[in-house]
């Protein structure tokens, strides 16, 4: 069993930046970030493989968000730049054994953290 503990998030103005962290208690092949707003399905944001060399992003965040991972700390990150109002959501990190954009393919989940973008 792998536990994921998230940190970061908060309130930021449009155009600003944030960094979210996800500390894992064990190793998995893939790490991912999803987000969710009330009344909508959880949305894929991006994912990264164990080496950190393969990353994939949703079109809505491509070029603005960056996923990275730190092996010694067994932590991975989501850097959110040029934030927009529509990026407001609860962000979840996830980990598993498949590098996909489907939430059902991930076995472990963080507790979620709120990101609110204001005008």
């Amino acid at each position: 069993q792998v536990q994921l503990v998230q940190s970061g998030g908060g309130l930021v103005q449009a155009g600003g930046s944030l960094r979210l962290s996800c500390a894992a208690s064990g190793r998995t092949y893939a790490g991912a970030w999803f987000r969710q707003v009330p009344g909508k399905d959880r949305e894929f944001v991006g994912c990264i493989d164990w080496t950190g060399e393969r990353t994939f992003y949703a079109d809505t965040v491509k070029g603005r968000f960056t996923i990275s991972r730190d092996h010694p700390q067994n932590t991975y990150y989501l850097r959110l730049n040029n934030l927009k109002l529509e990026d407001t959501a609860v962000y979840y990190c996830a980990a598993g054994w498949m590098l996909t954009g489907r939430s059902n393919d991930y076995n472990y989940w963080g507790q979620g953290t709120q990101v609110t973008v204001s005008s």
Side-chain angles (χ1 to χ4, degrees):
Q1 187 76 7
V2 175
Q3 293 183 331
L4 304 179
V5 178
Q6 296 181 225
S7 59
L11 176 65
V12 64
Q13 286 190 322
S17 298
L18 283 174
R19 190 180 77 163
L20 308 183
S21 300
C22 181
S25 64
R27 294 183 179 180
T28 59
Y29 175 71
W33 291 91
F34 292 80
R35 65 187 182 185
Q36 191 169 24
V37 297
K40 292 190 175 182
D41 291 337
R42 197 164 289 188
E43 176 191 15
F44 171 72
V45 173
C47 59
I48 187 168
D49 75 341
W50 170 248
T51 67
E53 294 178 359
R54 297 176 67 199
T55 55
F56 300 95
Y57 297 94
D59 288 342
T60 52
V61 306
K62 198 174 293 183
R64 299 188 298 121
F65 291 7
T66 303
I67 297 177
S68 60
R69 67 191 310 166
D70 179 344
H71 285 292
Q73 299 296 327
N74 213 15
T75 299
Y76 55 102
Y77 305 94
L78 178 66
R79 177 71 178 182
L80 303 83
N81 291 330
N82 190 21
L83 281 159
K84 304 177 180 181
L85 297 179
E86 53 265 39
D87 294 319
T88 295
V90 176
Y91 284 71
Y92 296 91
C93 63
W97 308 103
M98 298 176 63
L99 191 66
T100 82
R102 297 186 297 268
S103 60
N104 288 344
D105 289 334
Y106 289 90
N107 307 87
Y108 311 107
W109 290 85
Q111 79 274 21
T113 186
Q114 178 71 44
V115 171
T116 302
V117 184
S118 64
S119 59

